[in-house]
Amino acid sequence: METQNMPREQLGVCAEGNLHSVYLMFNANDGIEAQLRPCLANVAQYIYELTDQYTDSAFNGFVAIGANYWDTLFSDQRPNNLRPFPAMQEGNRDAPAIEYDLFIHIRCDRYDILHLVANEINQMFEGLVELIEEERGFRFMDSRDLTGFVDGTENPKGRNRQEVALVGEEDVSFKGGSYIHVQKFAHNLSKWNRLPQKKQEDIIGRTKQDDIEYASEDKPLTSHIKRVNLKDDQGNSMEILRQSMPFGSLKEQGLIFISTCRTPTNFEEMLRSMVHGDGHGNHDHLMQFTKAVAGSSFFAPSLDFLANYARD
């Protein structure tokens, strides 16, 4: 990706993995946009500065604005491809949409720092927004999902993370920003854990212990990997950068799935392939063991874009 004149991105969009996370979903009060714009800029700058203060524990984060709220907050310009979450349903496979106005994503290798910062951010927003949802994620074993399989193996590496996740010259006003999709998946682990390991591996498309992807000819058409490893009309891989983490208690546990990408199309096509399949009845069999209970669409603009509203 071109780096000259690249606005400062929010560092959490492309950050490497962490041990802990806090996800905050807010809805804004009516008529407070003039106060909320500079407040958002201050929160984003605060998160940015804390990455230096808490370098040793790899603190990072970002602020994102909901697709349905964007025009209320920034009526003069809008990211070219920002659109609501693509709710889908087919048979017993459901990907519902629950939209929020704001998403604050913070991660760190120290839980106490996250707790402190989440409280600070909540206070900075006081009187402007209402906290609707809060989830806390954690690294499970060696970056595995609670199903026991390594998560994010297909993620782009190194500088390619920026290439995949950040808007470039195709939308100059929003260079350095990212389209964010968030889903909350609740796993049926008791059902999953009753499966023989080979059956689990066939459903995922890779080995459980060693994380080795099946050869292409051995991969079932209903395997998760087969359904999400897609190519566009030109034969290019449709990549996303996954920032997902497990969450939960004994009552409910699963995955907070987070996609960051320079276009929403890649995530939308993956979800369509999982839920609706390939047109020949081959959908993602992993969805027999996990249920999407929420889905939201956001845009995380660059720090420089937000800074324009610091003194609204």
Side-chain angles (χ1 to χ4, degrees), residues 44-63:
Q45 184 63 29
Y46 173 60
I47 290 172
Y48 184 78
E49 290 169 359
L50 290 180
T51 60
D52 285 336
Q53 184 174 340
Y54 296 126
T55 302
D56 290 350
S57 49
F59 178 89
N60 65 84
F62 62 81
V63 171

Side-chain angles (χ1 to χ4, degrees), residues 216-236:
S216 185
E217 63 271 16
D218 297 331
K219 216 175 283 170
L221 294 174
T222 55
S223 68
H224 178 64
I225 288 176
K226 189 74 174 179
R227 296 272 49 88
V228 299
N229 283 8
L230 306 178
K231 296 191 184 309
D232 64 18
D233 294 338
Q234 287 75 46
N236 303 309

Side-chain angles (χ1 to χ4, degrees), residues 92-142:
N92 60 356
R93 301 177 300 285
D94 198 10
I98 301 178
E99 302 284 14
Y100 301 95
D101 294 344
L102 303 175
F103 173 43
I104 309 295
H105 173 284
I106 52 175
R107 296 192 318 200
C108 190
D109 289 346
R110 281 180 53 183
Y111 189 77
D112 56 338
I113 290 172
L114 276 185
H115 188 77
L116 178 75
V117 174
N119 274 309
E120 284 290 326
I121 291 172
N122 200 40
Q123 287 177 5
M124 291 171 79
F125 280 133
E126 191 171 0
L128 302 176
V129 300
E130 180 184 357
L131 178 63
I132 306 297
E133 286 290 334
E134 173 185 358
E135 283 295 349
R136 301 191 175 215
F138 56 91
R139 181 183 293 170
F140 180 62
M141 302 302 183
D142 48 339

Side-chain angles (χ1 to χ4, degrees), residues 180-196:
I180 313 291
H181 291 90
V182 183
Q183 284 184 288
K184 180 178 177 181
F185 282 95
H187 294 346
N188 186 338
L189 290 175
S190 59
K191 183 181 178 185
W192 174 256
N193 290 331
R194 287 196 295 271
L195 289 180

Side-chain angles (χ1 to χ4, degrees), residues 87-293:
M88 300 179 195
Q89 198 201 1
E90 174 103 5
N92 60 356
R93 301 177 300 285
D94 198 10
I98 301 178
E99 302 284 14
Y100 301 95
D101 294 344
L102 303 175
F103 173 43
I104 309 295
H105 173 284
I106 52 175
R107 296 192 318 200
C108 190
D109 289 346
R110 281 180 53 183
Y111 189 77
D112 56 338
I113 290 172
L114 276 185
H115 188 77
L116 178 75
V117 174
N119 274 309
E120 284 290 326
I121 291 172
N122 200 40
Q123 287 177 5
M124 291 171 79
F125 280 133
E126 191 171 0
L128 302 176
V129 300
E130 180 184 357
L131 178 63
I132 306 297
E133 286 290 334
E134 173 185 358
E135 283 295 349
R136 301 191 175 215
F138 56 91
R139 181 183 293 170
F140 180 62
M141 302 302 183
D142 48 339
S143 298
R144 292 177 184 260
D145 177 52
L146 295 177
T147 58
F149 284 79
V150 175
D151 190 42
T153 304
E154 298 291 319
N155 260 351
K157 307 288 192 290
R159 294 184 62 82
N160 199 36
R161 294 168 81 85
Q162 276 82 5
E163 181 69 35
V164 168
L166 301 179
V167 173
E169 296 295 337
E170 68 272 18
D171 191 0
V172 174
S173 299
F174 292 97
K175 276 178 68 173
S178 187
Y179 293 91
I180 313 291
H181 291 90
V182 183
Q183 284 184 288
K184 180 178 177 181
F185 282 95
H187 294 346
N188 186 338
L189 290 175
S190 59
K191 183 181 178 185
W192 174 256
N193 290 331
R194 287 196 295 271
L195 289 180
Q197 182 168 312
K198 180 63 169 69
K199 179 69 172 168
Q200 292 181 353
E201 291 174 340
D202 289 348
I203 288 171
I204 299 295
R206 63 172 68 242
T207 63
K208 190 170 188 178
Q209 197 61 41
D210 302 327
D211 190 35
I212 298 170
E213 187 169 332
Y214 281 17
S216 185
E217 63 271 16
D218 297 331
K219 216 175 283 170
L221 294 174
T222 55
S223 68
H224 178 64
I225 288 176
K226 189 74 174 179
R227 296 272 49 88
V228 299
N229 283 8
L230 306 178
K231 296 191 184 309
D232 64 18
D233 294 338
Q234 287 75 46
N236 303 309
S237 291
M238 301 180 73
E239 293 186 90
I240 59 173
L241 175 56
R242 295 165 175 83
Q243 295 286 19
S244 314
M245 291 189 87
F247 80 97
S249 62
L250 295 181
K251 284 190 171 182
E252 182 184 55
Q253 47 193 315
L255 184 74
I256 302 293
F257 175 87
I258 298 174
S259 162
T260 75
C261 193
R262 66 191 299 166
T263 169
T265 303
N266 295 2
F267 166 79
E268 292 169 350
E269 289 304 313
M270 287 179 190
L271 187 62
R272 189 168 289 111
S273 176
M274 290 170 65
V275 174
H276 294 299
D278 60 1
H280 303 287
N282 299 307
H283 56 81
D284 188 346
H285 280 192
L286 182 59
M287 295 194 76
Q288 296 172 7
F289 301 90
T290 187
K291 180 178 175 59
V293 294

Side-chain angles (χ1 to χ4, degrees), residues 42 294 310:
N42 291 338

